[in-house]
C-alpha cells in the first residue's frame, strides 16, 4: 500500500506539470507556492497541507478541460476533498471543499476583491455560480471550515508567480504526516 505522502507527491509530480488553468504556472508550482505562503504566514499544518493539495481535484479529473469548454463546473474542490478524506482529517478536507465557495464569499463580502482576481479566476467564478448574495455569504461563513477556506483562498489567489522560488514537495512531508487520520496509524511512516 502506498503511503499518503508518496501518493500525493506522485500525483503532483506526474500530473502537476500541466498549466494551472490559463495561468503562467503549473499545477505543481501553484500548490507549492500556496503551501509556502501558508507556511510563511505561520499557518498550522492542516492549512499548509490544504494549501498544498487544494487543487488535487484538477489532477484527478481527466475531463476537467472538456467540462470548462462545455461551460460546466467540474467541481474540483468536491472531487479533491472526497479523494483526500480517505487519509486526511476533516480540518484539511473541509478547507479544500470550501475554497471555491470562499471566492464567491469574498467577492460579496469584500469590496474590491473581484478586482484582484486573475482573468482565469474571473472566468471560473462564473462557472462556479458567481458571487454569493449577502444572505448566502452570511450563511456560508457560519459553516465549519469556512474561515480556514478564506485563508486558503487568499494563498490560492497569490500563488501564481512564475518567478517564485519555493521549497519542493519533500519539504511538506512532516506537515502531511501530522494531519493524517488518527484512526489509520498504518498510514504513518515508520
Amino acid at each position: 500500500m502506498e503511503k499518503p505522502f508518496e501518493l500525493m507527491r506522485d500525483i503532483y509530480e506526474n500530473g502537476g506539470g500541466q498549466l494551472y488553468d490559463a495561468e503562467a504556472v503549473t499545477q505543481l508550482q501553484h500548490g507549492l507556492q500556496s503551501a509556502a505562503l501558508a507556511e510563511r504566514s505561520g499557518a498550522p499544518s492542516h492549512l499548509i497541507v490544504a494549501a498544498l493539495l487544494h487543487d488535487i481535484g484538477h489532477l484527478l479529473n481527466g475531463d476537467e478541460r472538456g467540462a470548462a469548454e462545455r461551460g460546466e463546473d467540474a467541481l474540483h474542490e468536491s472531487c479533491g476533498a472526497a479523494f483526500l478524506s480517505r487519509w486526511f482529517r476533516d480540518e484539511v478536507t473541509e478547507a479544500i471543499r470550501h475554497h471555491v465557495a470562499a471566492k464567491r464569499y469574498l467577492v460579496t463580502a469584500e469590496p474590491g476583491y473581484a478586482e484582484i482576481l486573475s482573468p482565469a479566476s474571473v472566468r471560473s467564478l462564473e462557472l462556479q455560480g458567481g458571487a454569493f448574495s449577502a444572505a448566502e455569504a452570511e450563511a456560508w461563513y457560519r459553516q465549519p471550515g469556512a474561515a480556514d477556506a478564506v485563508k486558503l483562498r487568499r494563498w490560492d489567489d497569490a500563488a501564481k508567480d512564475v518567478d517564485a522560488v519555493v521549497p519542493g514537495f519533500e519539504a511538506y512531508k512532516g506537515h502531511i504526516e501530522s494531519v493524517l487520520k488518527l484512526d489509520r496509524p498504518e498510514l504513518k511512516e515508520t
Side-chain angles (χ1 to χ4, degrees):
M1 172 176 69
E2 194 164 21
K3 300 288 186 182
F5 171 78
E6 285 80 13
L7 178 61
M8 301 308 138
R9 182 195 60 210
D10 292 350
I11 288 169
Y12 271 86
E13 289 182 355
N14 292 329
Q18 61 187 312
L19 286 180
Y20 170 61
D21 196 23
E23 306 292 351
V25 296
T26 66
Q27 291 282 353
L28 177 59
Q29 290 169 321
H30 177 65
L32 292 173
Q33 285 182 36
S34 297
L37 290 166
E39 192 167 51
R40 282 186 210 134
S41 75
S45 289
H46 77 275
L47 280 178
I48 294 168
V49 173
L52 178 65
L53 303 176
H54 73 276
D55 279 340
I56 197 167
H58 288 306
L59 302 177
L60 299 173
N61 183 355
D63 186 43
E64 182 150 28
R65 291 203 190 277
E69 289 170 7
R70 293 188 302 273
E72 299 169 2
D73 180 9
L75 303 172
H76 77 280
E77 69 280 13
S78 298
C79 172
F83 174 75
L84 294 170
S85 69
R86 294 179 237 180
W87 302 283
F88 294 98
R89 298 191 310 242
D90 289 348
E91 61 189 358
V92 174
T93 58
E94 286 304 292
I96 291 169
R97 186 170 67 84
H98 286 295
H99 83 277
V100 167
K103 177 170 54 171
R104 298 179 67 201
Y105 166 81
L106 286 166
V107 168
T108 300
E110 286 188 9
Y113 174 79
E115 284 75 41
I116 69 147
L117 295 175
S118 69
S121 257
V122 171
R123 278 192 306 281
S124 66
L125 175 64
E126 292 175 24
L127 290 178
Q128 294 158 342
F132 280 147
S133 69
E136 289 171 324
E138 185 179 321
W140 175 81
Y141 196 75
R142 288 193 300 262
Q143 294 184 65
D148 279 350
V150 168
K151 293 173 188 171
L152 171 55
R153 183 79 235 167
R154 294 187 192 286
W155 301 316
D156 182 1
D157 291 334
K160 299 171 184 176
D161 180 357
V162 71
D163 296 319
V165 177
V166 296
F169 211 92
E170 295 288 328
Y172 300 102
K173 184 175 184 176
H175 290 295
I176 287 174
E177 290 183 351
S178 75
V179 295
L180 294 172
K181 288 184 173 179
L182 297 177
D183 61 343
R184 306 247 349 243
E186 75 276 8
L187 300 177
K188 301 269 183 186
E189 292 294 321
T190 55

